Amino acid sequence: MNFFRGVMGGQAAGPQPSGAETIHKLCDRVASSTLLEDRRDAVRALKSLSKKYRMEVGTQAMDHLINILQTDRSDSEILGYALDTLYNILCNDEEEEQVSSTDETAQKQSDDLGAQFTEQFVQDAEHVTLLLSLLEEFDFHVRWPGVKLLTVLLKNQGVQVQGIILVSPMGVSRLMDLLADSREVIRNDGLLLLQQLTKSNAAIQKIVAFENAFERLLDIITEEGSSDGGIVVEDCLLLLLNLLKNNSSNQNFFKEGSYIQRMKPWFEIGDDNSGWSAQKVTNLHLMLQLVRVMVSPVNSPGATASCQKSMYQCGLLQQLCTILMATGVPADILTETINTVSEVIRGSQVNQDYFASVNAPSNPPRPAIVVLLMSMVNERQPFVLRCAVLYCFQCFLYKNQKGQGEIVATLLPSTIDANSISAGQLLCGGLFSVDSLSNWCAAVALAHSLQDNLTQKEQLLRVQLATSLGKPPVSLLQQCTNILSQGSKVQTRVGLLMLLCTWINNCPIAVTHFLHNQENVPFLTAQISENLGEDERLVQGLCALLLGICIYYNDNSLENYTKEKLKQLIEKRIGKENFVEKLGFITKHELYSRAAQKPQPVFPSPEQMLFDHEFTKLVKELEGVITKAVHKSNEEEKKEEEVKKTLEQHDNIVTQYKDLIREQDSQIQELKEQVASMSSQSEQMQTTVTQQLSQIQQHKDQYNILKLKIGKESQPNSQEDSSQVNGLQTEELTQLREEVEELRKQHALLQTQLGDKDTLLDTLKSETAESSAGGSDNTELLKELEALRSQVQSQSAEINHMKTERQELLTRAEAGSQDTVSSSDGSLDAAKMAELESRLAAQSSETQRVKEEAKSLSESRAELEQQLASATSTVAILQTEKAKLQTEVQESKKEQDDLLMLLADQDQKINALKQKLKGLGETVDDEDDLDGRDQTDDDYEDEDED
């Protein structure tokens, strides 16, 4: 214990050991002591020396400290000392050391030392796994140092530690549990740990998101006061940015979980916006960045559009516009809000329409677009704010032809209101301002009003400007070229040239207007041909691009400036090779690639604001075609135009044939469906016939049984008395009546079935009349109808036979009745005779009724025979129509074969023409030919199947 007193405090007699010796002795004590208290005191002593003697402690004690973590898990105090010591060794924080922050050499050495020790620690993945298991300890003195140590490991060796945690069972889940810790210091350091864990690792970001991170973080932000909260809110927002940035899966999960709606309360600000704290500005800035991450132009278009729709529906866009028009908002927050609104409305027609309807709270109210443009053309406004307004205006017009028309309309004479300031007036004012940055911004904004909109390009040609009193007005196009020729600043000329290139691109009428001014072409050729300095090279390249567009989109309406004459002028004054070289100056400029990266105009200084993102796309599209157009001769152009016309004609013919073949395919498909329907109906009819055959067989069996029974009972028996004879006759008549009733029911059933068959025949007739194919199927149906007719005839014969038998039975019954009466005259008295006569009269009347019913059955049979004859005539008609349909099908197939042969000839001609084009050096797209051949192959396959 005297040794520890010397280390920890009191002065010991004799020479003092050096730091390295002391650390060595402490390490021996940690390794060899059997008592827990001794080891604990030794580790505590190492902790106190670890900051001053970082190198020595890290070199000698790291393995012993890791062993303590493995063996002394039961004592939280020694675990806490060991974790703190390791943290001091690995951490690169210089604040605790007496080293000046300006000493860069010492700082670099400290960083290298921390990286070396961290690499040594994570060489064994079990060490990180051990640290993760210690985080399950609830004891504050273990859990908090463990969180800090793991955070340092991630800072120094992030990728390696992330890989170990990713494969560790429940590794990420254990770290997510830190957010639920009731002790704020652990929860807050857990946020810092998760920030380091989720950096640049999409797999871990997804796991953290699906561990309900969004819900927990948003709850913490709400509990801490949203934008008015402290640094904890900032840490939560930074973690959310890590999870969502460039991670489409998490962005979709965030949107589907309705978390966008929970962002709206963040942007609710009061009327008094003075005195914003620095932390609130930081929080709100991060919140705006979070919104931008969800609708960034680099995201997939579908995901961006979905988030834009959600933001409009939940009122988030409306809340952002409120901040945009509020007073007292700090400048950097206002700038970021403008950028955020820009990306929320970019490419979304609904959001763009809403933004166009927003008015500033002024008297009188002015549209928000007008107020923003006033800031853009005001040279006293901050540069970043002016860039943000330009970006907002560009996003408002992106894929918004309605908005483009509204902006251009404010420049037309019929819509100008002298009592109010319009967007068009502000753009014109900025275009002709003395401030070069205003010139450039206004030119680019006006170019976006014309982007991919031929109608507005032609409408803008009508704009007239009054330059000064007493002089006639000049067109906007002419005024731009006039300013260009006056030799203004490079930034102004670049902006005007970009506007002119965008304006006349793909607009032959604008090209004609531009060439109509006799001074424009000589000015361009002079600019291109001169040998100027580095600063003027970009202007020369843009002049070459403008002249090239005049050649490529020239409709030869001006005799002095046709395509051929302009190319001759280039060859004489400039030289084709020199022209192409000057044209290449644009893409070789150092600022070109920076502007081509993303739509938002971000520049370090106003002088570097030269290129627009959309204009870089235009240059990339036109550079190659202009180069080819300049090098082509007049004869080659004529041949190319002829070939193009021929190709267009053949393409039209091929398109017509394709439409015809598609129509025939649809017709064939319909006929196949009709044949299938008829086949199913035929199967139903066959089933009905089978059922009728079984019923007829049952009737035959019943009839045979009845005939045998009546034959036996009708044999004469003279020895029986009259009462027995009368009783037998009564039973026979009763049975006869029942049989007749049964026959009548069977007759009604047969008549119903025959009506059903007639209905089926009518249906088959109507469907066959609509068909144009399926001859073989019709033949089968006719055979089945013939069989059905034979079945009906056999049934009629059976009915006649049964009626004949019934008549014989009636005759025999009457004869038996008369014999019985004559034989009993002598033995019966008058009363019995009267009774017998009455009974006989009743039987006679019953017999008469049966005869009448038999007569009605005979008439019904005649009607059935007539209906059967009608069905037979219908079958004959169907056979005739079937023959006609077969003839039409053969003619249709022959006509289709002729069309396919003609299409093959056309394909051969097209291939020959395309080979000629390829020989002339033109690139030919074979997609249409491939489609045509594929379609033809499909048609042949369909015919083979038929």
Side-chain angles (χ1 to χ4, degrees), residues 696 698-700 702-704 706 735-751 795 798-807 809-810 850 853-854 856-858 860 864:
I696 289 173
Q698 291 177 0
H699 295 164
K700 284 182 179 180
Q702 293 175 0
Y703 171 73
N704 291 332
L706 179 63
Q735 293 178 355
L736 184 60
R737 282 197 301 271
E738 291 175 354
E739 293 298 330
V740 170
E741 186 68 20
E742 183 68 21
L743 287 173
R744 185 173 63 183
K745 292 179 179 179
Q746 293 175 1
H747 172 73
L749 179 62
L750 290 173
Q751 189 173 8
Q795 290 178 7
E798 292 290 339
I799 291 171
N800 292 333
H801 182 68
M802 292 173 66
K803 290 177 69 176
T804 303
E805 294 290 337
R806 180 184 59 78
Q807 190 65 33
L809 288 173
L810 289 173
V850 170
E853 290 179 354
S856 65
L857 289 174
S858 177
S860 299
L864 290 174

Side-chain angles (χ1 to χ4, degrees), residues 53-92:
Y53 299 100
R54 185 179 176 192
M55 170 70 79
E56 292 78 3
V57 175
T59 305
Q60 300 182 40
M62 181 177 289
D63 292 337
H64 299 295
L65 294 172
I66 294 174
N67 187 55
I68 289 293
L69 297 179
Q70 293 172 340
T71 58
D72 290 330
R73 294 288 297 269
S74 60
D75 186 70
S76 60
E77 189 175 357
I78 193 172
L79 289 178
Y81 291 148
L83 291 171
D84 283 332
T85 306
L86 288 172
Y87 173 77
N88 293 336
I89 295 171
L90 302 179
C91 183
N92 293 322

Side-chain angles (χ1 to χ4, degrees), residues 71-280:
T71 58
D72 290 330
R73 294 288 297 269
S74 60
D75 186 70
S76 60
E77 189 175 357
I78 193 172
L79 289 178
Y81 291 148
L83 291 171
D84 283 332
T85 306
L86 288 172
Y87 173 77
N88 293 336
I89 295 171
L90 302 179
C91 183
N92 293 322
D93 188 4
E94 289 290 325
E95 292 179 359
E96 297 294 331
E97 301 183 12
Q98 300 300 321
V99 179
S100 174
S101 60
T102 59
D103 192 348
E104 296 181 359
T105 304
Q107 181 66 38
K108 184 176 180 181
Q109 292 176 354
S110 176
D111 292 344
D112 293 342
L113 195 60
Q116 291 173 7
F117 287 141
T118 303
E119 185 177 359
Q120 180 182 348
F121 184 87
V122 300
Q123 279 181 352
D124 189 351
E126 291 297 327
H127 296 166
V128 180
T129 305
L130 173 64
L131 193 55
L132 289 173
S133 65
L134 290 175
L135 293 180
E136 294 182 349
E137 297 287 340
F138 187 74
D139 191 285
F140 180 81
H141 296 91
V142 177
R143 202 172 204 188
W144 186 39
V147 171
K148 293 193 296 180
L149 178 57
L150 191 56
T151 304
V152 170
L153 292 175
L154 286 166
K155 283 182 180 179
N156 296 339
Q157 293 287 337
V159 177
Q160 191 173 354
V161 178
Q162 283 174 341
I164 297 172
I165 294 175
L166 189 60
V167 299
S168 176
M170 300 296 292
V172 178
S173 298
R174 291 171 181 170
L175 300 181
M176 285 298 300
D177 291 340
L178 298 174
L179 297 181
D181 199 302
S182 58
R183 295 159 294 191
E184 289 190 2
V185 63
I186 294 180
R187 183 199 68 182
N188 298 342
D189 282 346
L191 289 172
L192 299 177
L193 170 60
L194 291 172
Q195 286 180 26
Q196 298 297 326
L197 178 67
T198 55
K199 280 185 177 179
S200 305
N201 193 309
I204 293 180
Q205 290 169 1
K206 292 179 183 179
I207 296 173
V208 171
F210 282 95
E211 288 283 346
N212 205 23
F214 294 140
E215 184 75 28
R216 296 184 185 182
L217 292 173
L218 293 175
D219 288 342
I220 294 173
I221 291 174
T222 304
E223 293 170 2
E224 295 291 329
S226 298
S227 60
D228 293 323
I231 195 171
V232 176
V233 173
E234 179 182 350
D235 292 337
C236 290
L237 292 171
L238 288 171
L239 179 55
L240 284 172
L241 284 173
N242 281 355
L243 296 176
L244 293 173
K245 195 170 186 178
N246 300 324
N247 193 318
S248 57
S249 175
N250 282 2
Q251 289 173 5
N252 185 62
F253 182 60
F254 191 85
K255 179 185 68 69
E256 296 297 333
S258 300
Y259 296 119
I260 290 178
Q261 289 81 341
R262 296 186 61 177
M263 297 166 67
K264 179 189 174 185
W266 296 352
F267 305 101
E268 294 176 354
I269 61 174
D271 297 332
D272 184 13
N273 295 316
S274 60
W276 284 33
S277 64
Q279 187 62 55
K280 181 174 182 179

Side-chain angles (χ1 to χ4, degrees), residues 53 56 93 271 311 393 449 567 631 635 646 689 848 869-870 883 904 926:
Y53 299 100
E56 292 78 3
D93 188 4
D271 297 332
M311 290 178 182
F393 191 73
S449 301
K567 286 191 288 186
H631 284 289
E635 294 179 357
T646 306
V689 170
Q848 185 64 28
S870 175
D926 294 334

Side-chain angles (χ1 to χ4, degrees), residues 454-517:
L454 182 60
T455 302
Q456 302 310 322
K457 291 178 181 179
E458 296 175 356
Q459 287 291 323
L460 200 61
L461 295 172
R462 298 169 47 202
V463 176
Q464 299 290 321
L465 301 175
T467 56
S468 61
L469 294 175
K471 290 185 179 181
V474 296
S475 67
L476 177 61
L477 182 66
Q478 183 59 46
Q479 184 64 15
C480 291
T481 56
N482 291 342
I483 297 175
L484 196 62
S485 62
Q486 291 173 4
S488 53
K489 293 182 181 180
V490 172
Q491 191 175 41
T492 300
R493 285 182 287 162
V494 169
L496 290 172
L497 285 168
M498 287 195 299
L499 171 60
L500 291 174
C501 290
T502 306
W503 193 344
I504 70 173
N505 176 54
N506 198 22
C507 184
I509 297 177
V511 172
T512 303
H513 277 72
F514 180 79
L515 295 176
H516 189 72
N517 187 349

